[in-house]
Amino acid sequence: MIEQRRQAYLEAMGFDVWIARPPEAEKDRLVLGPGKGSTLLVCSAPEHSATRLGGDITRILGVDPVWAWPDPEGKPEHPRLEQAVTDSLFTQVLVFGEQTARLLFGKQVPEVIASSAVTVAADFDELATRGTSKQELWAFMKMHGLAKPASGT
């Protein structure tokens, strides 16, 4: 209350009153889900990993990937992407969606972070509605050895 009174006096005397804003949350921090594989899958929201498409992606990988998504609050206890890659020794990072990639990297997406190759795929909405996008993702995964070998042949 006293601070408001001081502010009112200063304003009445014609002084500009500046109030410090709290720092904005850093949007490049990630919430890491469970998993223990060497592949990090970064989607825009936590619910994507639990969708049917998320299950299909996990099955084609044939491993237990770690799902992650940007932390909307930017909590300092959540790692940045480079820290997550270094700490967990990921060898492949697959980011779903250009918007998520821009949030994490800005304008320039690196090809490699630490020891991990970085790839940007279509976002989940596009993968769910465009068959060609999903086919491109499957082909990419097979070409880069991310897809488990087909059985029964």
Side-chain angles (χ1 to χ4, degrees):
M1 184 71 175
I2 293 175
E3 195 62 38
Q4 289 177 345
R5 181 180 275 171
R6 286 183 186 175
Q7 182 178 343
Y9 282 134
L10 289 170
E11 287 174 349
M13 293 176 4
F15 290 102
D16 290 332
V17 179
W18 294 69
I19 299 172
R21 292 184 188 173
E24 234 181 86
E26 298 177 46
K27 304 292 186 183
D28 62 345
R29 298 202 175 261
L30 294 174
V31 177
L32 298 176
K36 55 185 180 250
S38 62
T39 302
L40 179 65
L41 305 174
V42 183
C43 53
S44 62
E47 56 271 8
H48 289 152
S49 64
T51 63
R52 186 173 168 179
L53 177 59
D56 290 344
I57 292 168
T58 299
R59 267 189 300 287
I60 198 168
L61 286 171
V63 295
D64 185 20
V66 177
W67 287 90
W69 49 90
D71 177 12
E73 297 173 13
K75 294 180 182 175
E77 63 265 21
H78 292 143
R80 288 189 168 91
L81 181 58
E82 185 169 354
Q83 181 185 356
V85 167
T86 304
D87 291 350
S88 299
L89 301 175
F90 294 117
T91 58
Q92 182 70 39
V93 174
L94 188 56
V95 179
F96 293 97
E98 291 291 331
Q99 186 175 4
T100 304
R102 274 194 302 278
L103 184 68
L104 295 173
F105 305 115
K107 293 180 181 181
Q108 185 69 29
V109 176
E111 291 182 22
V112 176
I113 294 178
S115 61
S116 183
V118 177
T119 305
V120 178
D123 66 21
F124 264 68
D125 291 336
E126 185 176 336
L127 288 169
T129 57
R130 281 192 55 222
T132 55
S133 293
K134 194 185 296 186
Q135 289 171 346
E136 289 170 6
L137 176 62
W138 296 162
F140 169 82
M141 293 169 85
K142 287 178 184 177
M143 183 173 68
H144 288 86
L146 297 175
K148 69 178 178 183
S151 59
T153 316

